[in-house]
Every structure is written in structure tokens, then in C-alpha cells.
Amino acid sequence: MTNSDIQDIRNDFPILTEKIHGKNLIYFDNAATTQKPRCVVEKIEDAYYHYNANIHRGVHYLSQVATEANENSRGIIANFIHAKNNHEIIFTRGTTEAINLVAFSFGEAFCKEGDEIVVSVMEHHSNIVPWQMLCERKGMKLRVIPMNDRGELLMDEYKQLLNEKTRLVAIAHVSNVLGTINPVKEIINIAHKNEIPVLVDGAQAVPHLPVNVTELDADFYVFSGHKIYASTGIGVLYGKEKWLNLMPPYQGGGEMISTVTFEKTTYNELPFKFEAGTPDYVGSVALAEAIQYVEKIGLQNIDNYERELLNYATAKLSEVEGLRIIGTAKEKSAVISFLVGNIHPYDMGMLLDKLGIAVRTGHHCAQPLIDSLGIPGTVRASFAFYNTKEEIDTFVEAVKKVSEMLR
Ligand code: PLP
């Protein structure tokens, strides 16, 4: 992408011209949430101003338009991740709710005492805690794939963990702390040879890399709208029809029913069986709009450009005295976690903020990973396609300045 392409893109994001403490905003907290392009905000406004009505239940015009918009969005999302069927796309509130849904419903259908779930050491709490809750409920065990000191999973150890008690493997596509892109296709192949299904946490992958759930042969793939330039409160669970059909509903009420009597309720077909209550139909429309925006730029272009930013920032940051990058996997997404000497990440983050630079500090909701590294947390800069090398230059100068102040 050329500089003028990037400038055009930046013009689509009004927030990027904000001043923070009198300085130009440099937003490097994209792994936490992304900023929203004008078209997404306008789409939300359009929905509320022109066709807001509860979906699926109304015979009236507005309800039909809103229902159609919601289902049209489902189709756009299915195409985007190459799902075979629209009904394999379940709308959730986000990645966390999607994983909780699978941990509950898959757990109810397929898990029993003594069974095991395999996760990795680099998982976000959202891909640890729901499985721990399942383990507590059923008397099961959580097994953990370790990594090497670059932040790459140890595949031999992974193979050793799988056995006849393993019910499911749950793995991040991309680590939100280390940026490691895990070899999910290989992980899935190995699990499938043992007839074990795999859930992929795609929260940090879908905004940055082309994802094809059919090619990956993922059994479940989950992500959040707000990390891919859409609104908060909307997310996606992709599940293979064969699993979703065998799993009981997660929550009751709303459109998930077929018939209800006081004696017995029968459930709706997919995807509605898993969408209890009034869905976030405006969120789904916003998500489809964001996806179309991203598709217009092209995931491959985004991936290439963000890798350029990653390499540029990695080289520049390496010049800072005493700076250590946490996570140096060969396959990395545009996330850089680092520490400078023994400066506390929180202090670094606070002072960078005063210079208008938004980074994240702390354990990044991956406490077991941070503990395993024996560090108090990291400073994390995470990039998006609207970031520039000039911003990285300013950021690196700021890191140098703050390091000198705090040393
Ligand atoms: N998984 C990963 C890898 C993440 O980075 C995040 C958020 O940072 C989540 C899960 C949770 O996403 P959400 O809070 O949108 O449900």
C-alpha cells in the first residue's frame, strides 16, 4: 500500500485526528480494540434512523427489513471466513461469549469426568477460564501446551498431550501478547488424526490475516467484531453443523425455541438455537460493513503492510538501550510486547500516554503466560493498517525519552 493509500484510509477514521494531552494521537492499542471507520458508524446510524425493529418476530415492514439485514450480514460473514453454510455462523457478544457457549454446550454433550481439554500456555483468559469452569463442573482436567523462549508452541509436546481422554483442543490463532501466529492447520491435522475437534480463538487473527475455516478444517472458530473495526457487543462463533446440531442450547428464551409448553420446549434450528433473546441486529450489520471495508482494502494487502510495520518497528525498537522484545517467533503478527531494563510497564505506559501514545501495559489477560515468563507484564504496541512508519518513529523516540527519564 502506498503512503497515499494509507492517508486515504486514515481519512476514514475521524478519531485519528484527535489530540491527546495536546499531542497528535498515536493509537497503538489495536489488539485491545480497533478504531471505527466512518462507514461503520454511518451504518449504525442508518439502521437506527431508518429500519430499527426487533427481528424475526414481526410481520411489519421494518421488522422484515431489519431481519433481512441481519441475515444478509450473516451471509457476508460466512463468505468472509469461507464457512460452507450461513447457519454455521452464530452471533454472540464476542469471542469470550462464543468460547463460553462452546465450553458449556459442547461440554454438556460430549464431556464427562476424567476427560481432558488441551489449551496452550499463551491463551487469553477467555480461552482458559471457560474450560476451567467446564473442568470443575465435570471433574475434568486442563492440559497445557508449552512454548519455547521465542514464544513458539512445542509441537512434540503437543502431540504427547493428546490421548483417548482428550475431548477438545482450544488454541489461539494469534497470541495477543507475543504476536505468535500459531500453526493452527498443523495443530488441527494432528488433533483430527486422533479424532479430536479443535476450537480456534481467532480474535487476533481475523483482523489481520486471510482466514479460511473450511481449508483449516476448524471445528469451531471464534472472533470479536470490535477488534475488526466494528462495534462492541457483537462477535461470531463459527461451528461445523455436525457439532452444533448435537450440542444443546446455551441460553433459553427468545428465538431459540420452536415450541414451548410448561411440560416441554423444543428448540429452533441452526443458527437460531444458539441465539437466545433479542440479538444485536445493528451490531451484525455494523460487523458486515466493517468486513466489507476490510475486504475492499484486501486482507493480503493488510497482512503485507502490517508485516512491514512490524519489521520496521522491531528494528527501530531494537536500537533502544536495554529494550527486550517478548515474543520473537518466526511467524508473527503486528504485535510487539517489550520491557526496557527494569522499568515497570505501567510507568512506561503512563508516560507514553502523556505524549499522546496509546499502548497497553500489564498482563493483557494472559496471566499464566506472563507468570511463566517471570515478568511483571509488558508494554504492548499493536498495529493496524491505519498506522504509519512516521508514527513508529515518534513512538520509538518517545520510548527512548521515557526510558532515559525512568532509568
Ligand atoms: N482471545 C484473544 C486472543 C484476545 O486477544 C481477546 C481480547 O483481547 C479475547 C480472546 C477476548 O475478546 P473479547 O473481550 O472481545 O470477548
Side-chain angles (χ1 to χ4, degrees):
M1 291 199 281
T2 64
N3 285 347
S4 109
D5 293 336
I6 305 300
Q7 199 46 57
D8 288 347
I9 286 170
R10 287 180 70 83
N11 292 340
D12 292 336
F13 291 82
I15 202 171
L16 297 179
T17 57
E18 287 292 305
K19 298 271 183 210
I20 306 294
H21 307 304
K23 304 272 197 288
N24 291 334
L25 165 67
I26 295 183
Y27 187 76
F28 284 174
D29 195 18
N30 295 288
T33 199
T34 51
Q35 300 303 343
K36 318 306 170 197
R38 197 175 266 115
C39 63
V40 167
V41 179
E42 284 172 357
K43 196 79 185 176
I44 294 168
E45 185 185 88
D46 183 50
Y48 280 125
Y49 284 172
H50 300 294
Y51 57 91
N52 178 51
N54 208 328
I55 57 171
H56 295 308
R57 287 162 223 180
V59 290
H60 63 81
Y61 178 80
L62 286 186
S63 176
Q64 286 177 16
V65 173
T67 303
E68 207 175 299
N70 187 65
E71 294 313 310
N72 187 37
S73 301
R74 201 188 301 276
I76 289 167
I77 294 158
N79 279 338
F80 177 59
I81 59 168
H82 303 273
K84 282 190 189 133
N85 301 299
N86 291 2
H87 59 257
E88 293 175 311
I89 302 295
I90 312 289
F91 287 123
T92 66
R93 285 194 297 126
T95 304
T96 304
E97 187 176 64
I99 297 173
N100 275 276
L101 188 163
V102 177
F104 177 81
S105 297
F106 181 91
E108 284 305 293
F110 297 106
C111 297
K112 59 178 190 316
E113 189 175 347
D115 286 347
E116 296 178 356
I117 301 288
V118 171
V119 298
S120 87
V121 65
M122 66 178 78
E123 298 310 314
H124 188 281
H125 296 163
S126 294
N127 200 27
I128 299 174
V129 182
W131 306 114
Q132 268 175 338
M133 289 162 71
L134 168 64
C135 287
E136 272 171 30
R137 220 165 48 239
K138 297 265 178 180
M140 296 165 55
K141 207 165 155 187
L142 198 65
R143 309 292 301 272
V144 182
I145 313 167
M147 65 181 197
N148 64 23
D149 53 15
R150 289 193 301 275
E152 295 162 328
L153 294 179
L154 298 176
M155 295 301 281
D156 285 337
E157 313 264 343
Y158 164 56
K159 286 177 201 160
Q160 296 299 321
L161 285 177
L162 301 181
N163 61 53
E164 70 288 348
K165 289 185 266 178
T166 317
R167 289 284 80 82
L168 183 126
V169 175
I171 191 86
H173 196 160
V174 173
S175 158
N176 64 312
V177 180
L178 308 166
T180 309
I181 303 174
N182 286 318
V184 284
K185 184 148 176 65
E186 192 185 344
I187 288 170
I188 291 169
N189 277 342
I190 293 166
H192 283 179
K193 281 199 184 109
N194 294 274
E195 292 178 9
I196 300 163
V198 179
L199 175 142
V200 181
D201 171 355
Q204 298 294 344
V206 158
H208 307 288
L209 315 167
V211 169
N212 184 326
V213 294
T214 301
E215 210 172 273
L216 287 176
D217 203 20
D219 298 277
F220 302 99
Y221 196 102
V222 299
F223 63 97
S224 299
H226 70 98
K227 292 189 198 283
I228 183 165
Y229 313 100
S231 44
T232 50
I234 185 79
V236 170
L237 160 64
Y238 158 80
K240 278 186 187 165
E241 181 178 15
K242 71 165 183 180
W243 295 116
L244 295 176
N245 271 333
L246 294 171
M247 287 159 48
Y250 176 48
Q251 295 180 328
E255 198 55 28
M256 53 75 72
I257 58 98
S258 176
T259 60
V260 180
T261 67
F262 281 115
E263 286 68 42
K264 186 168 173 57
T265 291
T266 58
Y267 304 126
N268 205 341
E269 57 193 17
L270 294 176
F272 311 114
K273 180 172 100 175
F274 290 106
E275 294 180 350
T278 297
D280 184 5
Y281 50 89
V282 177
S284 73
V285 167
L287 176 54
E289 182 69 22
I291 283 174
Q292 287 175 315
Y293 179 82
V294 160
E295 281 180 323
K296 214 160 60 192
I297 300 171
L299 252 304
Q300 201 53 60
N301 292 332
I302 292 172
D303 186 19
N304 294 344
Y305 177 66
E306 290 179 353
R307 271 173 208 263
E308 223 178 286
L309 291 180
L310 172 70
N311 293 338
Y312 185 76
T314 304
K316 282 262 167 181
L317 279 173
S318 305
E319 293 166 7
V320 180
E321 200 189 320
L323 187 142
R324 178 160 66 105
I325 290 177
I326 315 291
T328 51
K330 276 196 211 90
E331 284 299 319
K332 252 192 95 164
S333 176
V335 171
I336 305 184
S337 268
F338 65 92
L339 288 168
V340 185
N342 50 17
I343 296 171
H344 198 279
Y346 184 75
D347 296 335
M348 172 71 74
M350 286 274 288
L351 290 177
L352 289 175
D353 173 62
K354 295 283 178 275
L355 300 170
I357 301 168
V359 291
R360 186 137 296 230
T361 62
H363 56 58
H364 315 294
C365 297
Q367 236 171 326
L369 169 64
I370 295 295
D371 290 347
S372 79
L373 294 165
I375 53 178
T378 73
V379 183
R380 182 186 70 186
S382 52
F383 309 121
F385 52 67
Y386 43 61
N387 292 129
T388 65
K389 289 183 182 163
E390 291 70 35
E391 287 181 317
I392 290 172
D393 290 339
T394 309
F395 164 65
V396 173
E397 284 314 306
V399 171
K400 282 184 189 161
K401 191 164 149 190
V402 170
S403 304
E404 275 153 28
M405 277 171 65
L406 293 173
R407 226 190 291 275

